[in-house]
Amino acid sequence: MSSGLRLAIRLTSRGGREAVDGWAVDGDGRPYLKVRVSAPPVEGAANAALIAFLAKTLGVSRSSVTLASGAGARLKLIDVAGCDPLSLERALGRPPVPLIST
């Protein structure tokens, strides 16, 4: 059984470039990562760009990054197999509160 994490992502499409804009916390105290991609939100292009960007940034394969929910929404839940909290912190910075491992 491989370890993994579930990330909440607030995606900004047509953001001009692929980048992480840092961590934030929603009104219920749950952390989410702010990410921007240059792809438009058309026919899944922004979601595909997000998956590719996260896979490259975290050093995992694209097949290890899956969209758990939020395909048509700005806020998405992403599962990342084979990624532990320390690897995530090295790549994306420390989340303001602990994340859920899958």
Side-chain angles (χ1 to χ4, degrees):
M1 181 172 144
S2 65
S3 64
L5 296 172
R6 174 164 281 183
L7 303 175
I9 307 275
R10 192 193 77 201
L11 180 63
T12 301
S13 54
R14 293 187 185 164
R17 60 189 168 92
E18 278 71 27
V20 172
D21 290 336
W23 290 95
V25 178
D26 69 12
D28 294 325
R30 293 178 296 231
Y32 64 89
L33 186 66
K34 300 180 288 183
V35 178
R36 65 180 56 239
V37 296
S38 58
V42 178
E43 298 179 6
N47 290 335
L50 172 63
I51 288 170
F53 174 71
L54 287 175
K56 180 178 179 184
T57 302
L58 295 171
V60 298
S61 67
R62 286 187 191 189
S63 62
S64 297
V65 181
T66 57
L67 182 63
S69 69
R74 187 170 186 195
L75 189 60
K76 301 169 186 310
L77 289 178
I78 302 286
D79 289 334
V80 183
C83 185
D84 60 74
L86 184 58
S87 299
L88 179 90
E89 185 178 324
R90 285 183 189 142
L92 302 173
R94 179 174 289 186
V97 295
L99 299 173
I100 299 170
S101 293
T102 59

Coordinates of all heavy atoms in Angstrom, one line a residue:
M1 N 0.8 -1.2 0.0 CA 0.0 0.0 0.0 C 0.9 1.2 0.0 O 1.8 1.4 0.8 CB -0.9 0.0 1.2 CG -1.8 1.1 1.3 SD -3.0 0.9 2.7 CE -3.1 2.5 3.3
S2 N 0.7 2.1 -1.0 CA 1.5 3.3 -1.0 C 0.9 4.4 -0.2 O -0.3 4.6 -0.1 CB 1.7 3.7 -2.5 OG 0.5 4.1 -3.0
S3 N 1.8 5.3 0.3 CA 1.3 6.4 1.1 C 0.9 7.5 0.2 O 1.3 7.5 -1.0 CB 2.3 6.8 2.1 OG 3.5 7.3 1.4
G4 N 0.2 8.4 0.7 CA -0.2 9.6 -0.2 C -0.8 10.7 0.7 O -1.0 10.5 1.9
L5 N -1.2 11.7 0.0 CA -1.8 12.9 0.6 C -3.0 13.3 -0.2 O -3.0 13.2 -1.4 CB -0.8 14.0 0.7 CG 0.4 13.8 1.6 CD1 1.4 15.0 1.5 CD2 0.0 13.7 3.1
R6 N -3.9 14.0 0.5 CA -5.0 14.7 -0.2 C -4.8 16.2 0.0 O -4.7 16.6 1.1 CB -6.4 14.2 0.4 CG -7.5 15.0 -0.2 CD -8.8 14.4 0.0 NE -9.0 13.3 -1.0 CZ -10.0 12.5 -1.1 NH1 -11.0 12.7 -0.3 NH2 -10.1 11.6 -2.0
L7 N -4.8 16.9 -1.1 CA -4.6 18.3 -1.1 C -5.8 19.1 -1.5 O -6.5 18.7 -2.5 CB -3.5 18.7 -2.0 CG -2.1 18.1 -1.8 CD1 -1.2 18.6 -2.9 CD2 -1.5 18.5 -0.5
A8 N -6.2 20.1 -0.8 CA -7.2 21.0 -1.3 C -6.5 22.1 -2.1 O -5.5 22.7 -1.6 CB -8.0 21.6 -0.1
I9 N -6.9 22.4 -3.3 CA -6.3 23.3 -4.2 C -7.3 24.4 -4.6 O -8.4 24.0 -5.1 CB -5.7 22.6 -5.5 CG1 -4.8 21.4 -5.1 CG2 -5.0 23.6 -6.4 CD1 -3.4 21.7 -4.8
R10 N -6.9 25.6 -4.6 CA -7.7 26.7 -5.2 C -7.0 27.0 -6.5 O -5.9 27.6 -6.5 CB -7.9 27.9 -4.3 CG -8.9 28.9 -4.9 CD -8.9 30.2 -4.3 NE -7.8 30.9 -4.9 CZ -7.2 32.0 -4.3 NH1 -7.6 32.4 -3.1 NH2 -6.2 32.6 -4.9
L11 N -7.6 26.7 -7.6 CA -7.0 26.9 -8.9 C -7.4 28.1 -9.6 O -8.6 28.4 -9.7 CB -7.3 25.7 -9.8 CG -6.7 25.7 -11.2 CD1 -5.2 25.6 -11.1 CD2 -7.3 24.6 -12.0
T12 N -6.4 28.9 -10.1 CA -6.7 30.1 -10.9 C -6.2 29.7 -12.3 O -5.0 29.5 -12.5 CB -5.9 31.3 -10.4 OG1 -6.3 31.6 -9.0 CG2 -6.2 32.5 -11.3
S13 N -7.2 29.6 -13.2 CA -6.8 29.3 -14.6 C -6.6 30.6 -15.3 O -6.9 31.7 -14.8 CB -8.0 28.5 -15.3 OG -9.2 29.2 -15.1
R14 N -5.9 30.5 -16.5 CA -5.5 31.7 -17.2 C -4.7 32.6 -16.3 O -4.8 33.9 -16.4 CB -6.7 32.4 -17.8 CG -7.4 31.6 -18.9 CD -8.4 32.4 -19.6 NE -9.1 31.6 -20.5 CZ -10.2 31.8 -21.1 NH1 -10.9 32.9 -20.8 NH2 -10.8 31.0 -21.9
G15 N -3.9 32.0 -15.5 CA -3.1 32.8 -14.5 C -1.8 33.4 -15.1 O -1.0 33.9 -14.4
G16 N -1.5 33.1 -16.4 CA -0.3 33.7 -17.0 C 0.9 32.8 -17.0 O 1.8 32.8 -17.8
R17 N 1.0 31.9 -15.9 CA 2.1 31.0 -15.8 C 1.7 29.9 -14.8 O 0.7 30.1 -14.1 CB 3.3 31.8 -15.3 CG 3.1 32.4 -13.9 CD 4.3 33.3 -13.6 NE 3.9 34.1 -12.4 CZ 4.1 33.8 -11.2 NH1 4.7 32.7 -10.9 NH2 3.8 34.6 -10.2
E18 N 2.5 28.9 -14.7 CA 2.3 27.9 -13.7 C 3.1 28.2 -12.5 O 4.3 28.4 -12.6 CB 2.7 26.5 -14.2 CG 1.7 25.8 -15.1 CD 1.5 26.4 -16.5 OE1 2.5 27.0 -17.0 OE2 0.4 26.3 -17.0
A19 N 2.4 28.4 -11.4 CA 3.1 28.8 -10.1 C 2.2 28.4 -8.9 O 1.0 28.3 -9.0 CB 3.3 30.3 -10.1
V20 N 2.9 28.3 -7.8 CA 2.3 28.1 -6.5 C 2.3 29.5 -5.8 O 3.3 30.1 -5.8 CB 3.0 27.1 -5.6 CG1 2.5 27.1 -4.2 CG2 3.0 25.7 -6.2
D21 N 1.1 29.9 -5.4 CA 1.0 31.2 -4.7 C 0.9 31.1 -3.2 O 0.6 32.1 -2.6 CB -0.2 32.0 -5.3 CG -0.1 32.4 -6.7 OD1 1.1 32.6 -7.2 OD2 -1.1 32.6 -7.4
G22 N 1.2 30.0 -2.7 CA 1.3 29.8 -1.2 C 0.1 29.1 -0.7 O -0.8 28.7 -1.4
W23 N 0.1 28.9 0.7 CA -0.9 28.3 1.4 C -1.9 29.3 2.0 O -1.4 30.4 2.3 CB -0.3 27.4 2.5 CG 0.4 26.2 2.1 CD1 1.8 26.2 1.8 CD2 -0.1 25.0 1.8 NE1 2.1 24.9 1.4 CE2 1.0 24.1 1.4 CE3 -1.4 24.4 1.8 CZ2 0.8 22.8 1.0 CZ3 -1.6 23.1 1.4 CH2 -0.5 22.3 1.1
A24 N -3.1 28.9 2.2 CA -4.1 29.7 2.9 C -5.0 28.8 3.7 O -4.9 27.5 3.6 CB -4.9 30.5 1.9
V25 N -5.8 29.3 4.6 CA -6.7 28.6 5.4 C -8.2 29.1 5.2 O -8.4 30.3 5.1 CB -6.4 28.7 6.9 CG1 -7.3 27.9 7.8 CG2 -4.9 28.2 7.1
D26 N -9.1 28.2 4.9 CA -10.5 28.6 4.7 C -11.1 28.9 6.1 O -10.5 28.8 7.1 CB -11.3 27.5 3.9 CG -11.5 26.2 4.7 OD1 -11.3 26.2 5.9 OD2 -12.0 25.3 4.1
G27 N -12.4 29.3 6.0 CA -13.1 29.7 7.2 C -13.3 28.7 8.3 O -13.5 28.9 9.4
D28 N -13.2 27.4 7.8 CA -13.3 26.3 8.8 C -11.9 25.8 9.3 O -11.9 24.8 10.0 CB -14.0 25.1 8.1 CG -15.5 25.5 7.8 OD1 -16.1 26.2 8.6 OD2 -16.0 25.0 6.8
G29 N -10.9 26.5 9.0 CA -9.5 26.1 9.4 C -8.8 25.1 8.6 O -7.8 24.5 9.0
R30 N -9.4 24.8 7.4 CA -8.7 23.8 6.6 C -7.7 24.4 5.6 O -8.1 25.4 5.0 CB -9.8 23.0 5.8 CG -10.7 22.1 6.6 CD -11.7 21.5 5.8 NE -12.6 22.5 5.2 CZ -13.9 22.5 5.3 NH1 -14.5 21.5 5.8 NH2 -14.6 23.4 4.7
P31 N -6.5 23.9 5.5 CA -5.5 24.5 4.6 C -5.9 24.2 3.1 O -6.4 23.1 2.8 CB -4.2 23.8 5.0 CG -4.7 22.4 5.5 CD -6.0 22.7 6.1
Y32 N -5.5 25.1 2.2 CA -5.6 24.9 0.8 C -4.4 25.6 0.1 O -3.9 26.5 0.7 CB -6.9 25.3 0.2 CG -7.2 26.8 0.2 CD1 -6.8 27.6 -0.8 CD2 -7.9 27.3 1.3 CE1 -7.1 29.0 -0.7 CE2 -8.2 28.7 1.4 CZ -7.8 29.5 0.4 OH -8.1 30.8 0.4
L33 N -4.0 25.0 -1.0 CA -2.8 25.5 -1.7 C -3.4 26.4 -2.9 O -4.3 25.9 -3.6 CB -2.0 24.4 -2.3 CG -0.7 24.7 -3.0 CD1 0.3 25.3 -2.0 CD2 -0.1 23.5 -3.6
K34 N -2.8 27.5 -3.1 CA -3.2 28.4 -4.2 C -2.3 28.2 -5.3 O -1.1 28.3 -5.2 CB -3.2 29.9 -3.7 CG -4.1 30.2 -2.6 CD -4.1 31.6 -2.2 CE -2.8 32.0 -1.5 NZ -2.7 33.3 -1.0
V35 N -2.8 27.7 -6.5 CA -2.0 27.4 -7.6 C -2.6 28.1 -8.8 O -3.9 28.2 -9.0 CB -2.0 25.9 -7.9 CG1 -1.3 25.5 -9.2 CG2 -1.5 25.1 -6.7
R36 N -1.8 28.6 -9.7 CA -2.2 29.2 -11.0 C -1.6 28.4 -12.2 O -0.5 27.9 -12.1 CB -1.9 30.7 -11.1 CG -0.4 31.0 -11.1 CD -0.1 32.5 -11.2 NE -0.6 33.2 -10.1 CZ -1.5 34.2 -10.3 NH1 -1.8 34.6 -11.5 NH2 -2.0 34.8 -9.2
V37 N -2.4 28.3 -13.2 CA -1.9 27.7 -14.5 C -2.3 28.6 -15.6 O -3.3 29.4 -15.5 CB -2.5 26.3 -14.7 CG1 -2.1 25.3 -13.6 CG2 -4.0 26.3 -14.8
S38 N -1.6 28.5 -16.7 CA -1.9 29.4 -17.8 C -3.0 28.9 -18.7 O -3.6 29.6 -19.5 CB -0.6 29.6 -18.7 OG -0.1 28.4 -19.1
A39 N -3.4 27.6 -18.6 CA -4.4 27.0 -19.4 C -5.8 27.6 -19.1 O -6.1 27.9 -17.9 CB -4.4 25.5 -19.2
P40 N -6.7 27.6 -20.1 CA -8.0 28.1 -19.8 C -8.9 27.0 -19.2 O -8.6 25.8 -19.4 CB -8.5 28.5 -21.2 CG -7.8 27.5 -22.1 CD -6.4 27.4 -21.5
P41 N -10.0 27.3 -18.5 CA -10.9 26.3 -17.9 C -11.8 25.7 -19.0 O -13.0 25.8 -18.8 CB -11.6 27.1 -16.9 CG -11.7 28.5 -17.4 CD -10.4 28.7 -18.2
V42 N -11.3 25.2 -20.0 CA -12.1 24.7 -21.1 C -11.8 23.2 -21.4 O -10.6 22.9 -21.5 CB -11.9 25.5 -22.4 CG1 -12.6 24.9 -23.6 CG2 -12.2 27.0 -22.2
E43 N -12.8 22.4 -21.4 CA -12.6 20.9 -21.7 C -11.5 20.3 -20.8 O -10.8 19.4 -21.3 CB -12.4 20.7 -23.2 CG -13.5 21.2 -24.0 CD -13.3 21.0 -25.5 OE1 -12.2 20.4 -25.9 OE2 -14.1 21.5 -26.3
G44 N -11.4 20.7 -19.6 CA -10.5 20.0 -18.7 C -9.0 20.5 -18.9 O -8.1 19.9 -18.2
A45 N -8.8 21.5 -19.7 CA -7.4 21.9 -19.9 C -6.7 22.4 -18.6 O -5.5 22.1 -18.4 CB -7.3 22.9 -21.0
A46 N -7.4 23.2 -17.8 CA -6.8 23.7 -16.6 C -6.6 22.6 -15.6 O -5.5 22.6 -14.9 CB -7.7 24.8 -16.0
N47 N -7.5 21.6 -15.5 CA -7.3 20.5 -14.6 C -6.1 19.6 -15.1 O -5.2 19.2 -14.2 CB -8.5 19.6 -14.6 CG -9.7 20.3 -13.8 OD1 -9.4 21.1 -13.0 ND2 -10.9 19.9 -14.2
A48 N -5.9 19.4 -16.3 CA -4.8 18.6 -16.9 C -3.5 19.4 -16.6 O -2.5 18.8 -16.2 CB -4.9 18.4 -18.4
A49 N -3.5 20.7 -16.8 CA -2.3 21.5 -16.5 C -1.9 21.5 -15.0 O -0.8 21.4 -14.6 CB -2.5 22.9 -17.0
L50 N -3.0 21.5 -14.1 CA -2.7 21.4 -12.7 C -2.1 20.1 -12.3 O -1.1 20.0 -11.6 CB -4.1 21.6 -12.0 CG -4.0 21.3 -10.4 CD1 -3.1 22.3 -9.8 CD2 -5.4 21.3 -9.9
I51 N -2.6 19.0 -12.9 CA -2.1 17.7 -12.6 C -0.6 17.6 -13.1 O 0.3 17.1 -12.3 CB -3.0 16.6 -13.2 CG1 -4.3 16.5 -12.4 CG2 -2.3 15.2 -13.2 CD1 -5.4 15.6 -13.0
A52 N -0.4 18.0 -14.3 CA 1.0 18.0 -14.8 C 2.0 18.8 -13.9 O 3.1 18.4 -13.6 CB 1.0 18.4 -16.2
F53 N 1.5 20.0 -13.6 CA 2.3 20.9 -12.7 C 2.6 20.3 -11.4 O 3.8 20.3 -10.9 CB 1.7 22.3 -12.6 CG 2.4 23.2 -11.7 CD1 3.6 23.8 -12.1 CD2 1.9 23.5 -10.4 CE1 4.3 24.7 -11.2 CE2 2.5 24.4 -9.6 CZ 3.7 25.0 -10.0
L54 N 1.6 19.8 -10.7 CA 1.8 19.2 -9.4 C 2.7 18.0 -9.5 O 3.6 17.8 -8.6 CB 0.5 18.8 -8.8 CG -0.4 19.9 -8.3 CD1 -1.7 19.4 -7.8 CD2 0.4 20.7 -7.2
A55 N 2.5 17.1 -10.5 CA 3.4 15.9 -10.7 C 4.9 16.3 -10.8 O 5.8 15.8 -10.2 CB 2.9 15.1 -11.8
K56 N 5.1 17.3 -11.7 CA 6.5 17.8 -11.9 C 7.1 18.4 -10.6 O 8.2 18.1 -10.2 CB 6.5 18.8 -13.0 CG 7.9 19.3 -13.3 CD 7.9 20.3 -14.5 CE 9.3 20.8 -14.8 NZ 9.2 21.8 -15.8
T57 N 6.3 19.2 -10.0 CA 6.8 19.9 -8.8 C 7.0 19.0 -7.6 O 8.0 19.1 -6.9 CB 5.7 21.0 -8.3 OG1 5.5 21.9 -9.4 CG2 6.2 21.7 -7.1
L58 N 6.2 17.9 -7.5 CA 6.4 17.0 -6.4 C 7.3 15.8 -6.7 O 7.6 15.0 -5.9 CB 5.0 16.5 -6.0 CG 4.1 17.5 -5.3 CD1 2.7 16.9 -5.2 CD2 4.6 18.0 -4.0
G59 N 7.7 15.7 -8.0 CA 8.6 14.6 -8.4 C 7.9 13.3 -8.5 O 8.6 12.3 -8.2
V60 N 6.6 13.2 -8.8 CA 5.9 12.0 -9.0 C 5.4 11.9 -10.4 O 5.4 12.9 -11.1 CB 4.8 11.8 -7.9 CG1 5.3 11.9 -6.5 CG2 3.7 12.9 -8.1
S61 N 4.9 10.7 -10.8 CA 4.3 10.6 -12.1 C 3.0 11.2 -12.2 O 2.3 11.4 -11.1 CB 4.2 9.1 -12.5 OG 3.3 8.4 -11.6
R62 N 2.5 11.5 -13.4 CA 1.2 12.1 -13.6 C 0.1 11.2 -13.1 O -0.9 11.6 -12.5 CB 1.0 12.5 -15.0 CG 1.7 13.7 -15.5 CD 1.3 14.1 -16.9 NE 2.1 15.1 -17.4 CZ 1.9 15.7 -18.5 NH1 0.9 15.5 -19.2 NH2 2.7 16.7 -18.9
S63 N 0.3 9.9 -13.3 CA -0.7 8.9 -12.8 C -0.8 8.8 -11.3 O -1.8 8.3 -10.8 CB -0.3 7.5 -13.4 OG 0.9 7.0 -12.9
S64 N 0.2 9.4 -10.6 CA 0.1 9.4 -9.1 C -0.7 10.6 -8.6 O -1.0 10.7 -7.4 CB 1.5 9.5 -8.5 OG 2.3 8.4 -8.8
V65 N -1.1 11.5 -9.5 CA -1.9 12.7 -9.1 C -3.2 12.6 -9.7 O -3.4 12.5 -11.0 CB -1.2 14.0 -9.6 CG1 -2.0 15.2 -9.2 CG2 0.3 14.1 -9.1
T66 N -4.3 12.5 -8.9 CA -5.6 12.3 -9.4 C -6.6 13.4 -8.8 O -6.4 13.8 -7.7 CB -6.2 10.9 -9.1 OG1 -6.1 10.7 -7.7 CG2 -5.4 9.8 -9.8
L67 N -7.5 13.7 -9.6 CA -8.5 14.7 -9.2 C -9.6 13.9 -8.5 O -10.3 13.1 -9.1 CB -9.1 15.4 -10.4 CG -10.1 16.5 -10.2 CD1 -9.6 17.6 -9.4 CD2 -10.7 17.0 -11.5
A68 N -9.8 14.1 -7.2 CA -10.7 13.4 -6.4 C -12.1 14.1 -6.5 O -13.1 13.4 -6.5 CB -10.3 13.3 -4.9
S69 N -12.1 15.4 -6.5 CA -13.4 16.1 -6.7 C -13.1 17.5 -7.1 O -12.0 18.1 -7.0 CB -14.2 16.1 -5.4 OG -13.6 16.9 -4.4
G70 N -14.2 18.2 -7.7 CA -14.0 19.6 -8.1 C -13.6 19.8 -9.5 O -13.1 20.9 -9.8
A71 N -13.9 18.9 -10.4 CA -13.5 19.0 -11.8 C -14.0 20.3 -12.4 O -13.3 20.9 -13.2 CB -14.0 17.8 -12.6
G72 N -15.2 20.8 -12.1 CA -15.7 22.0 -12.7 C -15.7 23.2 -11.7 O -16.2 24.2 -12.0
A73 N -15.1 23.0 -10.6 CA -15.0 24.1 -9.6 C -13.6 24.7 -9.4 O -12.7 24.1 -9.8 CB -15.5 23.5 -8.2
R74 N -13.6 25.8 -8.8 CA -12.3 26.4 -8.5 C -11.5 25.7 -7.4 O -10.3 25.6 -7.4 CB -12.5 27.9 -8.2 CG -11.2 28.7 -8.1 CD -11.5 30.1 -8.0 NE -10.2 30.8 -8.0 CZ -10.0 32.1 -7.7 NH1 -11.0 32.8 -7.2 NH2 -8.8 32.6 -7.7
L75 N -12.3 25.2 -6.4 CA -11.7 24.5 -5.3 C -11.7 23.0 -5.6 O -12.8 22.5 -5.9 CB -12.4 24.8 -4.0 CG -11.7 24.2 -2.7 CD1 -10.3 24.8 -2.6 CD2 -12.5 24.5 -1.5
K76 N -10.6 22.3 -5.6 CA -10.4 20.9 -6.0 C -9.8 20.1 -4.9 O -9.0 20.7 -4.1 CB -9.6 20.8 -7.2 CG -10.2 21.6 -8.4 CD -9.3 21.8 -9.5 CE -9.8 22.7 -10.6 NZ -11.2 22.4 -11.0
L77 N -10.1 18.9 -4.8 CA -9.4 17.9 -3.9 C -8.5 17.0 -4.8 O -9.1 16.4 -5.8 CB -10.3 17.1 -3.1 CG -11.1 17.8 -2.0 CD1 -12.0 16.9 -1.3 CD2 -10.1 18.5 -1.0
I78 N -7.3 17.0 -4.6 CA -6.3 16.2 -5.4 C -5.6 15.2 -4.5 O -5.2 15.5 -3.4 CB -5.2 17.2 -5.9 CG1 -5.8 18.3 -6.8 CG2 -4.1 16.4 -6.7 CD1 -6.3 17.8 -8.1
D79 N -5.6 13.9 -4.9 CA -4.9 12.9 -4.2 C -3.5 12.7 -4.9 O -3.5 12.6 -6.1 CB -5.7 11.6 -4.3 CG -6.9 11.6 -3.4 OD1 -7.0 12.3 -2.4 OD2 -7.9 10.8 -3.7
V80 N -2.5 12.6 -4.1 CA -1.1 12.4 -4.6 C -0.6 11.1 -3.9 O -0.3 11.1 -2.7 CB -0.2 13.6 -4.3 CG1 1.1 13.4 -4.9 CG2 -0.8 14.9 -4.8
A81 N -0.5 10.1 -4.7 CA 0.1 8.8 -4.2 C 1.6 8.9 -4.2 O 2.2 9.6 -5.0 CB -0.3 7.7 -5.1
G82 N 2.2 8.3 -3.2 CA 3.7 8.2 -3.1 C 4.3 9.5 -2.7 O 5.5 9.8 -2.9
C83 N 3.5 10.3 -2.0 CA 4.1 11.6 -1.5 C 3.8 11.7 0.0 O 2.7 11.5 0.5 CB 3.4 12.8 -2.2 SG 4.1 14.4 -1.8
D84 N 4.9 12.0 0.8 CA 4.7 12.1 2.2 C 4.8 13.6 2.6 O 5.1 14.4 1.8 CB 5.8 11.3 2.9 CG 7.2 11.8 2.5 OD1 7.6 12.9 3.0 OD2 7.9 11.1 1.8
P85 N 4.4 13.9 3.8 CA 4.3 15.3 4.3 C 5.7 16.0 4.1 O 5.7 17.2 3.8 CB 3.9 15.2 5.7 CG 3.1 14.0 5.8 CD 3.8 13.0 4.9
L86 N 6.8 15.3 4.4 CA 8.1 16.0 4.3 C 8.4 16.4 2.8 O 8.9 17.5 2.6 CB 9.2 15.1 4.9 CG 10.6 15.7 4.9 CD1 10.6 17.0 5.7 CD2 11.6 14.7 5.5
S87 N 8.1 15.5 1.9 CA 8.4 15.8 0.5 C 7.5 16.9 0.0 O 7.9 17.8 -0.7 CB 8.1 14.5 -0.4 OG 8.9 13.5 0.0
L88 N 6.3 16.9 0.5 CA 5.3 18.0 0.2 C 5.9 19.4 0.7 O 5.9 20.4 0.0 CB 4.0 17.8 0.7 CG 3.0 18.8 0.4 CD1 2.2 18.6 -0.9 CD2 2.0 19.0 1.6
E89 N 6.3 19.4 1.9 CA 6.9 20.6 2.5 C 8.1 21.1 1.8 O 8.2 22.3 1.5 CB 7.2 20.3 4.0 CG 7.6 21.6 4.7 CD 7.9 21.3 6.2 OE1 7.2 20.5 6.8 OE2 8.9 21.9 6.7
R90 N 9.0 20.2 1.4 CA 10.2 20.6 0.6 C 9.8 21.2 -0.7 O 10.4 22.2 -1.2 CB 11.0 19.4 0.3 CG 11.8 18.9 1.5 CD 12.7 17.8 1.2 NE 13.3 17.2 2.3 CZ 13.5 15.9 2.5 NH1 13.2 15.0 1.5 NH2 14.0 15.4 3.6
A91 N 8.8 20.7 -1.4 CA 8.4 21.2 -2.7 C 7.5 22.4 -2.7 O 7.6 23.3 -3.5 CB 7.7 20.1 -3.5
L92 N 6.6 22.5 -1.7 CA 5.5 23.5 -1.7 C 5.5 24.4 -0.5 O 4.7 25.3 -0.4 CB 4.2 22.8 -1.8 CG 4.0 22.0 -3.1 CD1 2.7 21.2 -3.0 CD2 4.1 22.8 -4.3
G93 N 6.4 24.2 0.5 CA 6.4 24.9 1.7 C 5.5 24.2 2.7 O 4.7 23.3 2.4
R94 N 5.6 24.7 4.0 CA 4.9 24.1 5.1 C 3.4 24.6 5.1 O 3.2 25.8 5.1 CB 5.5 24.4 6.4 CG 4.8 23.8 7.6 CD 5.5 24.0 8.8 NE 6.7 23.2 8.8 CZ 7.5 23.0 9.8 NH1 7.3 23.6 10.9 NH2 8.5 22.2 9.7
P95 N 2.5 23.6 5.1 CA 1.1 24.0 5.2 C 0.8 24.6 6.6 O 1.5 24.3 7.6 CB 0.3 22.7 5.1 CG 1.2 21.7 4.7 CD 2.6 22.2 4.9
P96 N -0.2 25.5 6.7 CA -0.4 26.2 8.0 C -0.9 25.2 9.1 O -0.8 25.5 10.3 CB -1.4 27.3 7.7 CG -2.0 26.9 6.4 CD -1.0 26.1 5.7
V97 N -1.6 24.2 8.7 CA -2.1 23.1 9.6 C -1.8 21.8 8.9 O -1.7 21.7 7.7 CB -3.6 23.3 9.9 CG1 -3.8 24.5 10.7 CG2 -4.4 23.2 8.7
P98 N -1.7 20.7 9.7 CA -1.4 19.4 9.1 C -2.5 18.9 8.0 O -3.6 19.3 8.1 CB -1.4 18.4 10.3 CG -1.2 19.3 11.5 CD -1.8 20.6 11.1
L99 N -2.0 18.2 7.0 CA -2.8 17.6 6.0 C -3.3 16.2 6.3 O -2.7 15.6 7.2 CB -2.1 17.6 4.7 CG -1.6 19.0 4.2 CD1 -0.7 18.8 2.9 CD2 -2.8 19.8 3.8
I100 N -4.3 15.7 5.6 CA -4.8 14.4 5.8 C -4.0 13.4 4.9 O -3.9 13.7 3.7 CB -6.3 14.3 5.4 CG1 -7.0 15.2 6.4 CG2 -6.8 12.9 5.5 CD1 -8.5 15.4 5.9
S101 N -3.4 12.4 5.4 CA -2.8 11.3 4.6 C -3.8 10.4 4.1 O -4.8 10.1 4.8 CB -1.7 10.6 5.5 OG -0.7 11.4 5.8
T102 N -3.6 9.8 2.9 CA -4.6 8.9 2.4 C -4.0 7.5 2.5 O -2.9 7.3 2.7 CB -4.9 9.2 0.9 OG1 -3.7 9.2 0.1 CG2 -5.6 10.5 0.8

